[in-house]
Each structure stands twice: as structure tokens, then as C-alpha cells.
Amino acid sequence: MTRPKGVNSAQREAARPSASVWVSASAGTGKTRVLIDRLLWLMLDGTDPARILCLTFTRAAAAEMANRLNEELAGWATAKQGALAQKLQNLTGRLPDEWGLARARQLFARVLDAPGGIKIATIHGFCQTLLRRFPLEAGVPAEFAVMDERSAREALIEAAERVVAAAREAHNPDLREALAVVARHAPEARFGILMAELAAERAKLSRIRCKGHRELRDELCAATGLPPGASEEMVVAHFCAEGACDEAGLRAAAVAMAGGSAADRERGAVLAAWCEAPRERTEMLIGYLGAYLTEEGEIRKRLITQDAACAASCDVRNVLANEALRVKKFRQAQSAAALVEASCALIRLGDRLIRTYDERKRARGLLDYEDLVSKALGLLRRRDVAPWVLFKLDGGLDHILIDEAQDTNPEQWEIAAALAEEFFAGESARNRQRTIFAVGDAKQSIYSFQRADPRAFFEMRRHFEQRVIDARQGWRLIPLEISFRSTEPVLRAIDATFRHQAAHDGVALDGTEIRHSAARTGQGGLVELWPPAVPRAEETPDPDALPITRYRVSEPRTRVALAIAAKIKRWLDDAERLEARGRSIRPGDVMVLVRRRNLFVGELLRALKQRGIPVAGADRLILTEQLAVQDLIALGRFLLLPEDDLTLATVLKGPLFGIDEDTLFDLAYGRGQEKLWARLRSRAPGSAKLCSVTHRLSDLLARADFVPPYELYAELLGAGGGRHALLERLGNEAEDPIEEFLGLALAYEREHAPSLQGFLHWLVAGDTEIKRDFGARQRDEVRILTVHGAKGLEAPVVFLPDTMQLPKPPESLLWSEREQLPLWCPRRDLAVSFYTAERQAARARQLQEYRRLLYVAMSRAQDRLYICGWQGRDPPREPCWHMLCRTGLAEIADRFTFDTTSLIGREGWSGEGLRLAGPQTVAPLPDRPAETPRRVGLLPGWIRKPPPPDSYTPKPLVPSRPNGGEPAARSPL
């Protein structure tokens, strides 16, 4: 969007290269524009493009920055003199002279001719380049290869299998004992998830490895209130030792309880047995604890009845109360000891897993994405090598620019700090202008699963500020609050929602007020909050109806999906005007954002397609669940086993061959023992269609055992017309799965012996996920994305339907915030106070990110925002998105009667909604055509090779069965 004149002074100040700058940019304030402007200004002032390093968070961001920079420089090279002068004046605030104009025209050629080009890369891409430049110093193979996510997951699974196998060997007693402890607490399905969680925290495991397992155990004991080296057996032995309790008082209590109620007599017998048999107390421990504690672990309100206590010869109430306190302390100590034992055992397995995984990579000369960061950081930390590396880089870098700084994790921040270490020290701080530039927004930090911490954003700001000030250089802290994306009603809704403490907590971590100013003043906008759809009571069956009568009660999420689809359909049918654009709403204007991929996405896709609304599908797809891929897999299985009648029928009925149902019935009916493939060949001479199908299948059968899978499928989809047949039947959305299928066939052949059977097994076992980039390829279709997937995107109309579901509580494996100690609580009764406090803190951080996710979701809307939702069986126990938005909007919005029965009939619901509207008082925005696909890597140098994907989350590691069959269990992570 074109920036209005007079409102970009803060952006210009941030882009000015005379000082180091830290930019806190709210959503839609043009932070990418600022970064591009700073790059341009640096080069205009004479900086060599090769001496600039720009680090971004995602590959898409790197490609977007490179393309926008290219477009700007190409425009400068071809612009007329007056137009170029105006552009440079808008950038720098001053009118350029002839020399400045000539220099601006030359920049495009200078960038293309610079050795290595301007360095725009993701942090992983930069680390890969650094390691290739200094492989010996970093201790990595000179020609290492980077593993993709699929290969890394396979290697981790293989490492997990080896760890389990090694634990069974006699010479590994410690490992065998650790596996026995973990297996006692965790089922087989849970084991894979735990191993994946440990693999994702390799940096923390490495620090524990440096300490040693004994020191870890002592630290866990100290944190949970146990003496050093304590074990569960020691705690039990100390509690059960003779003389550890007031045995005389307990005997008196047992005598008194023998004459009391039935409950008194039962507990009295337990106390008497405890006092009379001190050597057998371990066996009667559970019953003894039950005499004092409830199932929840609390002391019973009545330990003895009034009558029994009065008949005692001493104060037995005091005796029992003291013993109950001792029992409760023992129960807590026993739980703490069990938690320490389980945590240490799990860490021992995780340490062995990582060691085995690293050995496999080292043997093959491979690195994964985590290795790129850890090895680069290790290189920069080495005192004997780091000065040399920094000297070489110091001679090549003058300016570092960091984009999306809020998403940078601690290890990545350490790399950035190490690179800038010499910028503000000694001669380097005086000889030439050297700057650090970071732009980000802590309110949009939503990648905690990649260990991003918004608090690090402020910590690193203080770090660089102190370094720059100590070097007596310029430092500027610039907030960007003018939004060029959203209309006034949308921004007012955001400000009102996050004005309240319940929503503000964790979003603005520096305590500042969340405030936006609209650059799009006077343009029409709308925000609506719909009442939630709640579950309906089940219909009472008609006693006179037949037993086959179906009584359907739609789920609330289904009704919300129907309402959204009907709303969009009415807009398209009625040519609903988008006032700010001066045109009717198109399908491509609508974006539906969900917090997670759940059943609602399928319901909405179905509702949109039933109404004939163009929809792009979900942003992430499981490859083997796509119909086109299922057809290709079925064909491969037939080629492996032609006698499989059901698979052949599936292939014939599918789009690749298109046999109609009547023909298929004639082929299959009345065959007796004859196979379907034999019947097809015998009937082929009498039908041209069947003859063609038989000829094609026979040709594929003849080639299946002799050609690689990629060649077989590529020929089928290309010259064989398979791609055309699939797209004609399934639509254009089948194109992405087909391309990914072929890409995986090539990937399989690179690392495995090319066989059709092996490829199909590898494909089905992998659960490959496709990520569709809607930002790079926007069509005139409704888009359905997660909020994480929509980061950096925008749309004129945004729906937020998934607003009443809260995130699941943290997993049982936690890491303490201060000490970074592993805490694994496999059972609820082992949750000691230290673990409970850490779990509550983790839950608080999780809900803070949940609210930051709401900020990201709301700020994607340009013109209209619709907030809706559905309630489950029980209302949310904590403030959800819908509650937070209602609280804020209730102060500024108008109430209106909401009713969807006119849209979806009996499935509709009604209630009171909130509406905040702004009229159109200025000329509409000029309409823009849909964006065309952009190619990645136009600039030379580091962005020519695609950096690693923007997210890498290991899947659960599930060891396969010993006989090499299918995986034993599969659990989503």
C-alpha cells in the first residue's frame, strides 16, 4: 500500500543509517519497508553491498526482501530523472544532486556485480555459509550436507531404536535401568513423544552433559527439597525405620480406636499392625498411608471419632495429628524422589539418543538445522578460533540488519551478538561507521515452540544499547505506531481489547500502552462480534417413528462453518460492496484464521464447496490423505500385487482410468474364483475402453520392476496423461500434492535403493505434510489458514471462528525457568510443589502467547473483522479470545440483534452481537490485481540456495517393531 505523505517521519528516522536503531514496530506499520529503505540508504551513502548482512526469520521473508529490493533498484535504473529525484527525496528527505542520481542508477549493477551479492539470508542460511567457510575451525565435514526434516526424523527414529536395543545388552546396566524406569511410567506411544521433546531441546541436554548426571541428580534433589543423592528407597527406609514415629502413642490410639466405629476399628487395626511388625512396614505402607491421607493426598478431616478419643488414656488426637503431618511430608518426599528418578532416567535416555543420532550424522557427513545454529555458535564461542573468524568477518561486515527480531531464539541472539562484538570495540568503533539495526514486535512473538522468547527481545535491546553508548556512537529507539494496513474500526477494536489487563498481560511486556494510529483515515471499516454457537439439547425421538429414523444434531462448530459459508455466499450473490476498495467483495478478499487445524477446517471446506465458493483449501495438508496421492499409491500397490482385486477396482474407478460403475460391476460380478485382473484382460478385446486400460496397465506392470519410482510416475503423469486426468477430476488443488509426491520420489531415490515397494512404504510411514504458501501465490479464492501460517499476510475481510478453545496445558516434561532443570512428572500423584509451581508458570507463559496470537490474528484484517466462535460442552474456565474481545468491544461498539436463521435455517442461532463501523468519507483505494507468483532467489549470493524451512519441529520418535513391520504406535506431537 502506498504510504500517505506526512506520516512517514518515524520510518524515515528509523531508516537513516547514521546510527544504530532498534525499531519496535506494531502490526501493519511497514517494518519491511523500513528495512528496505535502510538498505537503500546505506548503499546510497556509499556502503559496499557486500558489507551488509541482513538476517531474516523465514525463507519467505528473505525472498520477499530480495525481490522488493530488486524491484526498487531496477525502478531506479530505468526511472526518468524527475521521478527518480522524487523517489530519492521521499527516501532521504533531501533533494539529490546529479552525483546522487547517477549513483542511484548504478546501484542495481553494483548489487549484481558484488562478490556474493548483498547477504540476505535466514539465520540458518547464514550459519550454513559460515560453516562452509570455516569447516575445520567448526569441526564439521568440509562437504557436509544439510538434512531435510524428513531425513532428520528418520535418523532420530533409527537412533531411538538403537538406544532401545543397546539398553537390552548386558554391558549397559545404567541404560537398561533408565529404560526400565521410563517404561514403567510411560506407555509405548508416549515414549516416542518424549524422545522427540528431548531431541528438540538439544542445547539444554548439552549443558546437562557438561555437568554430569550425578550433579543433575543433586540439583533436582535440592530443588525438590531432598538431601543430595536421595532415592525413593532411602526415603521409604527412613520413614519405616523403627523409632521414627511415636510408637507408644500410636499403640494407645490403636487400643482406643478398637472400641470406636467401624472406620475407627479398621484404621486401628492398621496402626496396631504397623507398631507390632516394624520389619514388615514396607509391605503395609500403602494401607498405613491410607489411614491418614485421602486419595488426593490431603490429611483426613477426622482421624478418630469423638467417642474413641474420649476413651483413650492419653491425647491420641495430638498423636494422630503429628503422625499425619509426618505421613504427608513422607508422601511428598516419596513423590519428589520418584520424580527425580524418572527425570534422571529420561535424561539419560535422551542423552544417549542425541549421542547416537550425532554419531549417525557424523558417519554420513550430515548436519540438521539445529546443528547449523549450534555449530556456528560453538565456532564463535571458541576463544582460540573466534578472534580469527571475527577478524575475517570483521573485514567483510559493516552493518547488520535483523528482521522479525521477536522470533529469534537465545542461541540465534548469541550469534548476532558475537558478530557485532567488534563493531563497538577498539579501532573498529572509531575507524568507520558501523551499525546494528533490529526491527520486531514483541506483541507478535508466537513461536515459543521454536524457543523464541519475547523477553529476549528487550534483553538484547538493552545489550546493544549499552554497547553502542559505551562506544560513543549514535543509538535510537524508535516505535512505529502508524498502521498502513487496517482501517480505524479495526485498530480501535484492537486497542480496546488489549486495554484491559486480562488481555494486556503478556502482550505488551514492557508495560507500555498498546496504541495504534490509522493512516487510512476516513476509509470504511467494520468489526462484528457474533454471539457464540452453543450445544443444543438432543431431540426427543418420536415413539411412533421407525427405528431407522435418524435424529441429527449439528455440532456447534458445524453451525459456525455453515453460517460463515452462507455469509460469504450472500456477499457474492448480492455483490456486497467493500466501501474502502470501491468494488464488490471477491472470494480472494476473505481469509479465515483458526488457532489450530481441527475438525472445523474440514467442516468449513465442505460448506464452502457445497455452495460453489472458490476455496484454496487448508494451508497444511497431510500428503497421504489427499485423493490424488491415494490414487497414485493405489496404482503402485496394484503394480506390486496384481492379484489384489480391491486395489485394482480402486484404480479402475479412479480418475487415472475412469471406468464407470456399471462397467466395473460387469467386470467384478459373477467371477467366482477368477481374479479381476484376469477378467479385465479377457474382456478387453470386446471394448475399446477396456482394451486401452489393459494396455496401459500391462505396460506399467512390465516396467514397474525395472525403472525407479520417479521415472515410473513421471511418465505416467506426463506423457501418460495422468496429471491432466487427476486435475480434471479433483480440481487445481490437487496440483500441489502431485508435485510433492514426485519430489518425494526423487528424495527417496537419493538416499535409498530405488524400489517401488520401498518408496510406497517410506511414503505411507512418513506422514509427510505439505505447506502451501498463500502469500507467494494468491488466487481469487477464500483462504483458510492458522494464525501462525498467516504471519506476514493480510486480507480485506478476516473471520476469526476458533475463539473459545483454550490451548492444552503444558506436557508432563517441563524445564524449570531459572535453573533449566528437566522435570518429568509421569503421574499426577508425583506432582510436588516445585513441579506444580513450574507448571503454573509454564501455563501462564502459554496463555500469554495465546493472547499475543490473538493480537496477530486481529491485526491481519484490513477492512473488516468478524469474530465468532462455538462453545464446547463446558464453557471456558479461563478468558478466551471471544471473552477478551467482548470485554473490549462492549465499551465502544453498538449492540445489534444477531440471527443466522435466515442464512442457514434451523441450524441457525441468535443473540446479541456487537458492531463497530466506520463510514467511508474519502475516495476508495485504487484496486490492485491479484499478485502473480514470485520467484525466489533473484539476487546473487546467499539466497540462491534455499535456506531451511521456517519451522522445524521433530515428529514423535516411534521405534518400529523388531520384525521390521509397521511402526508399533503413532501419536501426534
Side-chain angles (χ1 to χ4, degrees):
M1 184 180 299
T2 305
R3 294 176 297 183
K5 295 181 180 180
V7 297
N8 58 355
S9 58
Q11 290 184 328
R12 181 179 296 161
E13 189 65 19
R16 191 184 305 276
S18 58
S20 295
V21 177
W22 195 277
V23 180
S24 297
S26 297
T29 54
K31 57 181 179 293
T32 304
R33 179 69 261 173
V34 172
L35 200 149
I36 295 297
D37 286 351
R38 188 173 180 93
L39 281 172
L40 294 170
W41 204 335
L42 282 169
M43 292 187 289
L44 278 176
D45 281 0
T47 301
D48 187 349
R51 306 182 77 91
I52 301 174
L53 171 63
C54 185
L55 297 176
T56 65
F57 183 63
T58 65
R59 180 177 58 183
E64 175 69 14
M65 193 179 305
N67 282 287
R68 289 176 66 169
L69 183 64
N70 245 7
E71 291 173 0
E72 196 76 25
L73 293 177
W76 286 7
T78 58
K80 295 183 179 180
Q81 199 78 348
L84 179 58
Q86 184 62 47
K87 290 182 179 180
L88 297 182
Q89 186 176 15
N90 290 339
L91 173 64
T92 63
R94 61 178 184 267
L95 192 65
D97 54 17
E98 293 295 330
W99 182 88
L101 291 172
R103 185 177 187 83
R105 294 189 186 278
Q106 297 168 0
L107 284 180
F108 188 51
R110 290 189 61 196
V111 168
L112 295 177
D113 293 341
I118 190 168
K119 302 176 183 65
I120 300 176
T122 65
I123 186 69
H124 291 96
F126 168 75
C127 291
Q128 182 176 347
T129 302
L130 183 66
L131 295 177
R132 292 203 183 279
R133 187 173 178 183
F134 304 100
L136 297 179
E137 294 84 352
V140 299
E143 297 295 332
F144 68 86
V146 180
M147 306 169 67
D148 59 15
E149 184 177 352
R150 173 71 179 257
S151 300
R153 187 165 65 250
E154 288 179 354
L156 282 168
I157 292 175
E158 181 181 337
E161 293 174 349
R162 291 187 177 182
V163 169
V164 173
R168 299 171 179 170
E169 299 175 359
H171 63 275
N172 285 320
D174 293 339
L175 193 63
R176 183 172 64 252
E177 181 182 353
L179 180 61
V181 172
V182 173
R184 185 167 66 246
H185 293 299
E188 188 177 7
R190 179 65 184 156
F191 178 79
I193 297 177
L194 288 171
M195 291 295 101
E197 291 176 359
L198 289 173
E201 297 290 354
R202 274 177 275 172
K204 296 176 181 177
L205 282 175
S206 298
R207 288 193 291 268
I208 291 176
R209 183 184 302 169
C210 296
K211 294 181 180 179
H213 291 285
R214 178 172 297 180
E215 184 176 350
L216 169 64
R217 189 181 191 89
D218 291 343
E219 289 182 359
L220 285 172
C221 288
T224 54
L226 295 175
S231 65
E232 188 174 1
E233 292 77 11
M234 294 170 56
V235 173
V236 171
H238 178 75
F239 178 78
C240 296
E242 189 173 358
C245 59
D246 183 4
E247 296 184 7
L250 291 177
R251 286 190 178 94
V255 172
M257 296 170 77
S261 65
D264 281 340
R265 293 195 298 271
E266 182 180 352
R267 288 198 288 267
V270 173
L271 268 62
W274 180 268
C275 296
E276 295 300 330
R279 296 183 178 181
E280 300 174 3
R281 289 178 178 176
T282 304
E283 289 75 14
M284 62 180 71
L285 185 61
I286 296 178
Y288 186 71
L289 298 181
Y292 298 93
L293 303 180
T294 64
E295 292 183 358
E296 291 76 22
E298 299 297 328
I299 299 176
R300 295 183 180 277
K301 293 182 179 180
R302 179 180 294 179
L303 297 173
I304 186 172
T305 60
Q306 179 73 18
D307 296 340
C310 292
S313 60
C314 61
D315 187 6
V316 295
R317 287 183 176 176
N318 190 35
V319 171
L320 292 175
N322 291 336
E323 182 65 7
L325 288 175
R326 190 178 82 93
V327 168
K328 184 175 182 179
K329 290 181 180 179
F330 160 72
R331 186 69 188 89
Q332 293 173 347
Q334 185 186 30
S335 298
L339 185 144
V340 169
E341 181 185 32
S343 300
C344 291
L346 184 64
I347 292 303
R348 188 178 293 276
L349 284 180
D351 182 44
R352 185 60 178 267
L353 169 73
I354 299 304
R355 290 176 183 270
T356 305
Y357 176 55
D358 289 341
E359 290 172 0
R360 183 183 187 278
K361 290 185 297 181
R362 189 162 47 249
R364 302 189 179 188
L366 300 172
L367 297 179
D368 62 16
Y369 300 135
E370 290 294 326
D371 290 332
L372 295 177
V373 175
S374 62
K375 295 293 185 182
L377 182 56
L379 173 65
L380 297 175
R381 281 175 174 171
R382 288 184 56 185
R383 294 183 178 180
D384 57 334
V385 173
W388 162 254
V389 174
L390 290 175
F391 170 75
K392 298 294 289 183
L393 291 177
D394 187 43
L397 294 180
D398 285 343
H399 304 275
I400 298 177
L401 295 86
I402 304 173
D403 188 21
E404 299 288 359
Q406 78 279 350
D407 295 325
T408 307
N409 66 35
E411 289 78 14
Q412 295 168 354
W413 272 124
E414 288 189 54
I415 291 176
L419 293 174
E421 184 66 25
E422 297 299 319
F423 276 28
F424 315 109
E427 295 297 327
S428 296
R430 294 189 291 270
N431 289 343
R432 59 182 183 268
Q433 181 70 27
R434 312 183 77 179
T435 65
I436 187 81
F437 175 88
V439 57
D441 183 12
K443 300 189 296 297
Q444 300 185 65
S445 179
I446 57 175
Y447 290 99
S448 63
F449 59 88
Q450 293 179 335
R451 295 180 290 108
D453 188 349
R455 292 171 296 184
F457 179 77
F458 300 105
E459 293 173 2
M460 293 308 298
R461 185 183 75 184
R462 290 189 290 269
H463 167 80
F464 284 117
E465 180 179 12
Q466 189 62 45
R467 294 285 292 158
V468 172
I469 292 176
D470 290 345
R472 298 181 181 180
Q473 294 186 7
W475 171 264
R476 291 196 295 268
L477 177 61
I478 299 178
L480 297 182
E481 298 177 344
I482 300 177
S483 173
F484 302 96
R485 173 184 295 161
S486 304
T487 56
E488 285 184 288
V490 174
L491 296 178
R492 289 180 60 199
I494 295 174
D495 292 346
T497 297
F498 292 97
R499 186 179 300 122
H500 295 269
Q501 181 60 29
H504 187 274
D505 180 32
V507 182
L509 294 175
D510 56 354
T512 58
E513 180 184 0
I514 297 177
R515 182 182 58 209
H516 300 80
S517 300
R520 298 177 57 188
T521 305
Q523 294 180 7
L526 176 67
V527 177
E528 279 190 3
L529 185 140
W530 298 355
V534 298
R536 288 177 171 176
E538 294 186 5
E539 299 179 17
T540 304
D542 184 358
D544 298 328
L546 295 174
I548 61 173
T549 302
R550 299 178 62 184
Y551 295 89
R552 189 189 67 172
V553 178
S554 296
E555 294 284 345
R557 65 171 181 269
T558 305
R559 294 156 58 203
V560 173
L562 293 173
I564 292 175
K567 185 80 169 177
I568 298 172
K569 179 63 174 176
R570 178 170 292 183
W571 286 343
L572 300 179
D573 292 342
D574 297 345
E576 174 84 8
R577 296 286 292 175
L578 204 57
E579 295 88 352
R581 312 275 167 174
R583 59 169 174 78
S584 301
I585 293 180
R586 298 194 292 249
D589 295 331
V590 181
M591 178 189 293
V592 182
L593 298 181
V594 296
R595 190 179 62 84
R596 55 196 175 145
R597 299 174 188 88
N598 50 23
L599 296 176
F600 170 80
V601 175
E603 300 279 5
L604 182 58
L605 283 170
R606 184 180 302 109
L608 291 171
K609 291 182 178 180
Q610 287 175 348
R611 287 163 175 77
I613 301 172
V615 57
D619 59 336
R620 285 182 183 264
L621 305 171
I622 301 298
L623 185 64
T624 52
E625 294 179 357
Q626 305 310 302
L627 292 178
V629 174
Q630 290 178 352
D631 285 325
L632 295 173
I633 292 175
L635 175 62
R637 287 174 172 168
F638 163 74
L639 298 179
L640 294 171
L641 185 63
E643 292 78 12
D644 187 345
D645 292 345
L646 181 59
T647 299
L648 176 56
T650 303
V651 172
L652 295 175
K653 184 69 169 58
L656 290 173
F657 297 96
I659 297 296
D660 59 79
E661 292 187 2
D662 293 338
T663 304
L664 184 59
F665 180 81
D666 292 338
L667 283 173
Y669 184 70
R671 290 179 293 115
Q673 298 299 319
E674 186 181 10
K675 290 297 181 181
L676 184 59
W677 173 234
R679 172 67 70 90
L680 176 62
R681 287 185 295 175
S682 64
R683 294 282 186 90
S687 169
K689 175 68 173 178
L690 295 182
C691 183
S692 174
V693 169
T694 304
H695 176 74
R696 292 171 61 193
L697 287 175
S698 299
D699 183 60
L700 291 171
L701 278 169
R703 293 172 53 80
D705 294 335
F706 302 100
V707 298
Y710 174 79
E711 183 178 338
L712 180 72
Y713 280 110
E715 183 177 348
L716 167 71
L717 294 170
R723 183 191 300 270
H724 176 76
L726 289 170
L727 296 180
E728 185 178 27
R729 172 82 67 88
L730 303 175
N732 291 331
E733 62 188 68
E735 185 173 354
D736 287 338
I738 293 173
E739 290 297 331
E740 186 69 18
F741 179 87
L742 290 175
L744 286 177
L746 275 178
Y748 175 81
E749 293 176 15
R750 283 196 296 266
E751 300 183 7
H752 304 80
S755 71
L756 182 59
Q757 183 174 1
F759 169 65
L760 293 179
H761 173 76
W762 177 81
L763 180 69
V764 174
D767 287 342
T768 304
E769 195 175 59
I770 307 173
K771 180 182 178 182
R772 309 172 73 190
D773 190 356
F774 289 150
R777 185 186 57 185
Q778 184 175 347
R779 298 170 178 169
D780 194 17
E781 299 170 330
V782 175
R783 292 172 288 171
I784 306 174
L785 302 92
T786 62
V787 182
H788 285 91
K791 185 78 178 293
L793 302 181
E794 57 190 24
V797 182
V798 170
F799 281 91
L800 300 183
D802 189 7
T803 59
M804 300 197 70
Q805 284 66 43
L806 293 167
K808 294 181 179 179
E811 296 290 345
S812 57
L813 175 60
L814 301 176
W815 295 81
S816 63
E817 188 172 7
R818 287 187 178 180
E819 301 85 357
Q820 293 296 298
L821 296 174
L823 299 169
W824 181 42
C825 183
R827 299 198 314 269
R828 184 177 300 177
D829 60 322
L830 301 184
V832 296
S833 57
F834 180 70
Y835 175 83
T836 301
E838 291 293 340
R839 186 176 177 85
Q840 291 173 349
R843 178 63 173 175
R845 294 192 298 271
Q846 186 184 47
L847 291 177
Q848 287 179 343
E849 184 175 78
Y850 173 73
R851 293 186 283 271
R852 293 195 295 270
L853 200 66
L854 172 61
Y855 175 82
V856 174
M858 296 180 71
S859 60
R860 299 308 97 193
Q862 294 175 307
D863 302 336
R864 295 188 183 186
L865 175 63
Y866 294 88
I867 304 166
C868 44
W870 69 90
Q871 181 179 305
R873 181 176 303 175
D874 300 316
R877 297 181 179 179
E878 296 168 293
C880 62
W881 287 1
H882 198 276
M883 296 179 185
L884 298 175
C885 293
R886 175 170 285 277
T887 301
L889 286 173
E891 301 175 349
I892 60 174
D894 299 324
R895 289 169 169 78
F896 73 99
T897 301
F898 175 86
D899 192 353
T900 57
T901 54
S902 61
L903 288 174
I904 57 177
R906 62 184 297 271
E907 303 290 354
W909 73 100
S910 60
E912 183 184 76
L914 296 175
R915 178 183 290 135
L916 179 63
Q920 180 75 21
T921 60
V922 298
L925 292 173
D927 196 20
R928 294 185 302 174
E931 295 183 2
T932 56
R934 291 182 172 182
R935 298 181 61 185
V936 177
L938 295 180
L939 287 178
W942 292 1
I943 62 169
R944 187 170 293 166
K945 292 183 178 180
D950 53 6
S951 64
Y952 169 54
T953 305
K955 294 292 181 67
L957 310 181
V958 186
S960 60
R961 295 189 184 276
N963 60 8
E966 290 293 322
R970 200 174 297 279
S971 297
L973 177 58

